[in-house]
């Protein structure tokens, strides 16, 4: 699947699930790009009219756990409300805390039923373009 929704993530081959390589200049941009990648995997973001707004305040023991918690919360909200979140205003992102607002709506059609973000091979590392990681999603 080709990413036609901007920069910051790309699909990478995976044997059984779906994986995205995600990057950002800082932790906040990395988390937003991971969420944008999740939305792109789930549906065509252009088909979503953001009509629902939800505040999130999440904590974890480290950045990798916080990233899985962040994506897991979005997946939970997607399933519970039938929405895909496509706008992300994060006020604070540290390695152990995230606070912000997400906005989403009902997609006209879905691509993948994403069940979970996993810790498989997950490691946030510094690269030439800032921070980078690969997130594997259970589908």
């Amino acid at each position: 699947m080709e990413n036609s929704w901007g920069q910051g993530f790309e699909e990478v081959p995976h044997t059984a699930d779906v994986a995205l390589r995600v990057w950002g200049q800082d932790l906040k941009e990395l988390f937003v790009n991971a969420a944008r990648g999740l939305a792109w995997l789930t549906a065509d973001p252009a088909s979503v009219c953001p009509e629902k707004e939800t505040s999130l305040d999440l904590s974890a023991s480290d950045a990798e756990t916080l990233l899985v918690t962040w994506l897991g919360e979005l997946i939970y909200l997607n399933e519970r409300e039938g929405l895909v979140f496509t706008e992300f205003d994060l006020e604070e992102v540290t390695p152990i805390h995230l606070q912000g607002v997400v906005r989403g709506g009902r997609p006209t059609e879905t691509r993948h039923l994403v069940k979970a973000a996993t810790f498989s091979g997950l490691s946030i590392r510094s690269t030439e373009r800032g921070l980078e990681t690969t997130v594997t999603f259970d589908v």
Side-chain angles (χ1 to χ4, degrees):
M1 211 172 349
E2 184 175 321
N3 171 11
S4 61
W5 198 39
Q7 303 294 315
F9 64 90
E10 62 187 359
E11 188 170 1
V12 293
H14 193 277
T15 54
D17 292 311
V18 176
L20 294 178
R21 181 176 301 119
V22 182
W23 58 91
Q25 292 184 359
D26 54 26
L27 207 53
K28 181 178 177 179
E29 188 174 279
L30 180 80
F31 275 55
V32 167
N33 287 338
R36 293 179 77 219
L38 171 62
W40 177 78
L41 284 174
T42 306
D44 178 2
S47 73
V48 175
C49 179
E51 59 195 34
K52 167 87 175 175
E53 181 174 294
T54 301
S55 297
L56 296 175
D57 189 344
L58 306 172
S59 298
S61 59
D62 56 45
E64 285 81 4
T65 304
L66 186 60
L67 180 59
V68 169
T69 301
W70 159 241
L71 295 170
E73 187 69 17
L74 294 173
I75 292 165
Y76 167 73
L77 292 170
N78 288 350
E79 283 187 27
R80 187 182 77 181
E81 301 179 25
L83 305 175
V84 173
F85 291 89
T86 56
E87 295 182 1
F88 313 96
D89 292 329
L90 301 183
E91 297 170 20
E92 178 186 354
V93 179
T94 71
I96 61 169
H97 185 247
L98 176 151
Q99 184 175 12
V101 173
V102 298
R103 290 176 204 84
R106 295 190 187 283
T108 55
E109 61 184 67
T110 57
R111 292 179 170 152
H112 290 284
L113 174 61
V114 178
K115 298 176 187 171
T118 75
F119 284 95
S120 177
L122 183 65
S123 174
I124 298 173
R125 58 199 174 282
S126 293
T127 67
E128 292 178 0
R129 54 184 169 189
L131 297 175
E132 185 175 308
T133 192
T134 299
V135 182
T136 302
F137 293 93
D138 182 18
V139 292

